[in-house]
Amino acid sequence: MDRFGESQPIDRRAFMKTAAAGAIGASLALRNAPASARILGANDRIVIALIGAGRQGVSNLRNAMRYPDVEVAAVCDVYGPNLAKGAEAAPGARTYTDFRHVLDRKDIDAVIIATPDHWHALQTILACQAGKDVYVEKPISVTVEEGRRMVEAARRYDRIVQVGTQQRSGHHFQQAAELIRSGRIGKVTQVRTWNFSNETPEGIGNPPDGHPPADLDWDMWLGPAPKRPFNPNRFGVHPSRWSTFRYFWDYAGGMMTDWGVHWLDIVHMAMGVDAPESVSAVGGKFVVNDNRETPDTLIATYQYPGFICTYENRAGNAAPLNGKSSGMLFHGTEGTLFLDRQGFEILPERRQVDGQAVDRTEPLRVENSNSHHQDHIRNFLDCVKSRRPPICDIETGHRSTTAALLGNIAYRTGRRIVWDAKNERIAGDREASRYLRREYRKPWSLTV
């Protein structure tokens, strides 16, 4: 029995009999795969594959293809139109509808995993077992247990696993974090992070359940998640917005895990922490008339050693904070630092000296000077060759994802969560602890 409860290994014989129709059996021997696909030299081309060819996945693929040392060998998706877009982006790449076929290929060095969140853990683990390095989108998982298993798999099979929290590769994010750590704005006691919008009244809409499109393998899309009838919003692919699967608990965690992970990851980087001591949250679905399950209004409050941090989201009012609909504010004794993807600004505190108001620190404004998303991909590629840890290693991404997941647990239970980060346990709360793991729908199983 481990910290989350017993985890059952894959029964390979049963899996081969009962997996999705037509699924190959070769992938089920992945635990016997070599520890690495091949040794790459500094000048070698990296052969990659994309698993999940939606909006984010194709963006990741295009960023990787900007580099001459990248060759795209395969694109995989369970939805025909997405697969076609991925193939269009990577001419010559072979197309697949079952990711296990991709992992069976010995010539592939690394995979980009940009499937819906509920698939990230299992696909990453199986990719590591198959000897592939992995770039996996955030949030890395929908439960804490899954994230820990991903870390264990990366270590056991000696794989490079980069998490798609690309802000860490932003030069201005790094500069801002260094200024905060150096004491430029004094002692920071409060951090605010937020995303505001107005989606009223219809939100994402309320379409009825129905039949999946003929070119979608709905059962494979669900994978380890519970069996549900097809609903357009659960699937969520839409030409003019990000996929709405993120608003259903079976697959994701709403804005708390979609955007909160990005902000909390930078809080961890800037403040030199990796886990909260406790978290509480309030909110609800108050204003939008749609079928989402996650809240349209939420405030999560985190207690870290020496400071507090909040994540706020609202979908019923877009009034900005500090003039921005999203961002971060670090409040220190000498000044406040505002930070978002466009840059950062230091706003000095003032004090009285000989009857005159004097700034406690120098004001500063810095604009974004690099493509942090593309640079994040480059960092991953460089680490595939050097075998050095990437800038957002899976352990780091797991810690940031965990913080966001705890915010949702506090919201769903209505209680303050006391977090034992060392043992990854919720102290003294059996009901809340059940959210740390989830059951996988057969024949899928979480294993390392």
Side-chain angles (χ1 to χ4, degrees):
M1 188 73 70
D2 61 21
R3 73 187 79 175
F4 304 102
E6 191 173 7
S7 179
Q8 298 296 324
I10 291 178
D11 183 334
R12 302 189 183 286
R13 185 169 297 176
F15 192 103
M16 291 173 67
K17 291 180 180 179
T18 60
I24 56 173
S27 293
L28 304 176
L30 288 175
R31 289 180 68 90
N32 297 320
S36 61
R38 63 190 178 99
I39 304 300
L40 289 169
N43 297 320
D44 286 338
R45 291 170 67 83
I46 301 172
V47 181
I48 68 170
L50 173 65
I51 300 174
R55 184 174 176 179
Q56 185 64 40
V58 172
S59 174
N60 289 339
L61 184 68
R62 291 187 187 279
N63 279 321
M65 291 175 64
R66 293 172 184 262
Y67 298 108
D69 58 342
V70 168
E71 175 185 341
V72 182
V75 175
C76 178
D77 203 286
V78 298
Y79 182 47
N82 278 1
L83 188 60
K85 290 178 182 178
E88 182 182 2
R94 188 171 176 182
T95 58
Y96 298 86
T97 57
D98 188 323
F99 73 94
R100 292 167 294 185
H101 288 273
V102 176
L103 299 185
D104 277 339
R105 288 185 53 170
K106 303 302 183 184
D107 60 326
I108 292 174
D109 303 306
V111 295
I112 297 172
I113 295 175
T115 47
D117 303 353
H118 69 288
W119 263 114
H120 291 175
L122 188 55
Q123 288 173 337
T124 296
I125 291 169
L126 291 176
C128 289
Q129 292 174 345
K132 316 302 183 191
D133 295 321
V134 180
Y135 182 103
V136 61
E137 271 301 329
K138 59 80 218 165
I140 66 163
S141 61
V142 297
T143 69
V144 175
E145 180 194 28
E146 288 176 315
R148 178 49 57 194
R149 300 291 183 231
M150 294 166 80
V151 175
E152 291 170 355
R155 301 300 182 254
R156 178 174 298 180
Y157 299 102
D158 194 24
R159 296 294 89 208
I160 299 297
V161 181
Q162 171 90 297
V163 177
T165 50
Q166 67 270 15
Q167 292 177 164
R168 280 196 176 239
S169 289
H171 297 166
H172 75 281
F173 280 103
Q174 296 167 2
Q175 184 180 354
E178 178 57 33
L179 288 170
I180 291 167
R181 289 193 299 267
S182 71
R184 174 67 177 269
I185 60 171
K187 179 174 174 54
V188 175
T189 56
Q190 182 184 18
V191 182
R192 295 183 69 179
T193 70
W194 69 92
N195 294 94
F196 301 148
S197 64
N198 194 330
E199 303 173 29
T200 56
E202 297 302 323
I204 62 175
N206 198 13
D209 294 341
H211 296 290
D215 49 8
L216 169 66
D217 185 342
W218 178 238
D219 188 71
M220 190 65 167
W221 188 96
L222 289 171
K227 182 73 173 177
R228 305 286 189 195
F230 173 82
N231 184 275
N233 278 350
R234 283 182 173 270
F235 175 49
V237 175
H238 192 278
S240 61
R241 66 188 181 199
W242 291 100
S243 183
T244 53
F245 72 83
R246 67 197 71 235
Y247 301 122
F248 295 86
W249 295 120
D250 285 346
Y251 324 120
M255 289 295 286
M256 181 77 255
T257 55
D258 189 51
W259 261 98
V261 169
H262 277 306
W263 298 136
L264 293 172
D265 185 62
I266 297 301
V267 172
H268 287 187
M269 181 173 77
M271 298 297 292
V273 297
D274 63 11
E277 297 173 330
S278 65
V279 56
S280 58
V282 292
K285 187 180 174 183
F286 298 137
V287 292
V288 292
N289 301 318
D290 61 22
N291 65 343
R292 81 179 67 190
E293 297 173 345
T294 58
D296 59 35
T297 308
L298 176 73
I299 299 178
T301 302
Y302 295 84
Q303 177 78 54
Y304 284 92
F307 72 99
I308 60 172
C309 172
T310 57
Y311 173 72
E312 305 175 42
N313 172 62
R314 60 172 183 257
N317 180 283
L321 179 60
N322 199 55
K324 298 292 184 114
S325 61
S326 64
M328 320 175 69
L329 284 168
F330 293 82
H331 296 286
T333 54
E334 307 301 304
T336 294
L337 188 147
F338 169 78
L339 175 62
D340 68 2
R341 290 186 174 179
Q342 283 66 57
F344 72 86
E345 182 177 12
I346 291 178
L347 307 170
E349 287 285 289
R350 311 209 84 187
R351 59 183 168 186
Q352 293 294 319
V353 178
D354 297 330
Q356 293 185 341
V358 177
D359 288 347
R360 288 176 175 259
T361 188
E362 292 293 324
L364 179 65
R365 185 179 183 87
V366 173
E367 295 184 357
N368 180 12
S369 63
N370 74 312
S371 174
H372 51 257
H373 198 166
Q374 186 176 336
D375 287 358
H376 204 58
I377 295 283
R378 182 67 255 177
N379 174 255
F380 170 64
L381 298 172
D382 289 342
C383 292
V384 167
K385 293 183 178 183
S386 70
R387 312 313 294 172
R388 296 189 181 96
I391 195 168
C392 193
D393 174 67
I394 185 63
E395 177 73 46
T396 300
H398 169 57
R399 297 285 182 163
S400 299
T401 296
T402 293
L405 293 173
L406 292 175
N408 276 338
I409 294 174
Y411 162 73
R412 297 179 78 178
T413 61
R415 294 199 292 275
R416 176 173 173 265
I417 301 301
V418 178
W419 183 237
D420 175 358
K422 180 179 179 180
N423 296 300
E424 295 191 334
R425 294 179 183 271
I426 294 173
D429 194 327
R430 186 178 298 273
E431 180 183 351
S433 295
R434 67 187 177 91
Y435 287 105
L436 296 176
R437 62 169 302 175
R438 63 172 174 147
E439 296 298 322
Y440 271 36
R441 183 170 68 103
K442 293 181 179 180
W444 306 103
S445 178
L446 184 65
T447 184
V448 178

